[in-house]
Amino acid sequence: MAFLAPLFLIGLAAITLPVILHLRKNRPKQTVAFSSLMFLEPSPLVTKRRARIQDVLLLVLRCLALALLALAFARPYFPAPQKPVAATGGAILNFLLIDNSASMRGAPLEKALAVAEGIVDGAQEEDWIAVGTFSGKFRPLVGADRARELATSERKSAAKSALDSVTSTWESTALDSALLAAVASVEEGIPVKIHLIGDFQKDQAFERLASEVWPSSMQVIPHPVTPGDQWTNAGLHIPSRGDDTLTIRVANSEGSANSKFSLKWSGIATPQQISVPPGESAVFDAPQGIADEGEVSLSGDNFSFDNKATWAARVRPLVKIWYPDEIDASDSKESLYFLTRAVTSTPDYEVEIVSAFPQPPPAIAISAGAPGEAATAALRDFIEKGGTGLFTLDSLGSVTTLANILGKKAPDASASTATGQARFGEIDFKSTVFAPFADARYSDFSGIRIWNYQILPPELTGSGTVIAHFDTGDPAWVVFSLGRGTLHVLTTTWRPADSQLALTTKFPPLLHALLNRAAVSEGSSQPLFVGDPLPVSSETSAVVLPNGEALPVGAYKTAEAPGIYRAGGSAFSVQLDPTESELTPIPVSRLAALGLPTDDLGDPTALAANSQRLSGIEQERQQKWAWWLVIAAAAFFVAETLFAAISGKRPAPVRP
């Protein structure tokens, strides 16, 4: 056993205190009055030191509690057995991490590759060389394991071949994820120098690195590729469009030297002159007469990778709601009456409620719990293929229908109808349904009274996720995964006879929370970022890229470049991440301030031997003996207190 803070073992000397207290002189605890001695002068009491210790168990408990507490503060751990040290000699793994994000396009990437080639040429013959790139994700070109397998004569040539294949992407930078992935790919105990080659943009997220525990055999060497002395960069970004308005946001880097730029809109002959101070951004309206679809470009800076942005024609998708129940929409006592008044068209999408299953399939299916047998089978098939459904329960019969949709056995007597007055209780505001009400100003559902609801048996709720409960503890809203789709179940209805839900202001946004997601799946002209998947419908067969190339939906994954994509009759504007436009570099000293090991490794041979075993701090954290000792000490203190209280109540022996 070893200790991180052995000086605390001095505290073991405190064990002598209970021993001394048990041996101290004690005066009699009980006085017995004798009538024949009442008129005599009292004589001084004579005490004798105990020849033996009394209450041995109490003494042992006190000593053990103090000993365990001292051991806990010393932070003990059992050292792990040392592994045989790998025969690395003086070899070091040089891991080249090259930033190939959008901000490195052109000359910056060429400079980065030149730096990388210089590192390869300067490496020792016995050193290993691994190569990887990073932008939105880490991509190993010559992995750490592969680098160690190569012969000495092949190492530099393999690294240079990998550098020749490096090309820039349109993705944003994720240096923190790349660094962590690179470290994880290196075998423990191998001395490694990670060469970070990039522009070290100011807006990157580095805070995640501050909480990491880095291997003692690692050194991080930054190689910044700076823009130069007098440089300027401004980027374009088109936010979400309003009804008929189009605006563009221009962000000027903090380190820019200029503030004057010009915008050229497609279809407009005269450029628009603008001014944006360094480190600030501004929003500009599009001029009158622009087309429904086009491109805007910026000039006046030194970098062109973020000088173009596109917009697509704003088309409101049609969101069809399939309502399979045969109910009269004009009946003010039924659910459909209130549904038609709550889910009206919005500026983002149009809404149509249909009673027959439409083609193409609807965006969402809503049932009040009374679909026919054929409609129930169609509803299940629709959800299993990726659809979204909302099912409300109006009776025990609807619970049986729900069981059929879920493919489960019909519930027995454990299902029942609750009547009286209930209210909404616990609600998960992180769910997609209730997320619009997460603000404290809108999160109060307790004023909605529920007269009737169905109590689902555990065999049904067990396969779902309850995102809302009533104040009785019964499930109010349950979400089930069915095939590739999702079924939402409300255990009551919004009919006035069952609840006040349809009569409150929360009812329309509650339904539109589901419809908003359905509208996106039907297609939208809202701008997306590089790396995002296109929200194409399941009926789409191909995606047309900005360069005109058509790809089957199965071969397409995410948008890899900015521009206008077309799919299923809809156009999508894909843009560059705005954070890539900030080219102001951070001071390299910030990496050391975050805790990254930037100091020299020293002697690689000795380092390789020492790094084969975990540090004492890491082992102590993993084993957590100190916490168990504290718990044991607390248990002994409690036992000592109880035993002392019990023994103190025993009457002292009366001697004649």
Side-chain angles (χ1 to χ4, degrees), residues 28-110:
K29 298 180 180 179
Q30 186 174 2
T31 302
V32 180
F34 288 89
S35 58
S36 59
L37 302 177
M38 294 177 59
F39 299 102
L40 298 178
E41 291 291 334
S43 60
L45 297 175
V46 178
T47 59
K48 294 182 179 180
R49 184 179 300 273
R50 290 174 179 167
R52 61 184 180 86
I53 297 177
Q54 295 182 356
D55 295 327
V56 177
L57 180 58
L58 187 61
L59 175 61
V60 171
L61 290 175
R62 290 170 176 170
C63 292
L64 284 177
L66 292 175
L68 291 175
L69 203 58
L71 290 173
F73 277 100
R75 298 177 67 182
Y77 67 95
F78 291 94
Q82 298 185 13
K83 300 177 182 179
V85 179
T88 61
I92 290 179
L93 174 63
N94 290 279
F95 207 132
L96 279 60
L97 277 181
I98 305 169
D99 182 0
N100 68 335
S101 61
S103 61
M104 295 289 292
R105 298 185 71 86
L109 184 59
E110 295 176 1

Side-chain angles (χ1 to χ4, degrees), residues 510-551:
L510 190 64
L511 294 178
H512 279 286
L514 292 173
L515 294 183
N516 283 333
R517 297 180 62 84
V520 170
S521 65
E522 288 296 298
S524 173
S525 59
Q526 299 301 317
L528 304 168
F529 293 129
V530 172
D532 291 342
L534 296 185
V536 298
S537 66
S538 57
E539 300 299 316
T540 304
S541 59
V543 175
V544 180
L545 307 182
N547 59 6
E549 180 184 0
L551 290 179

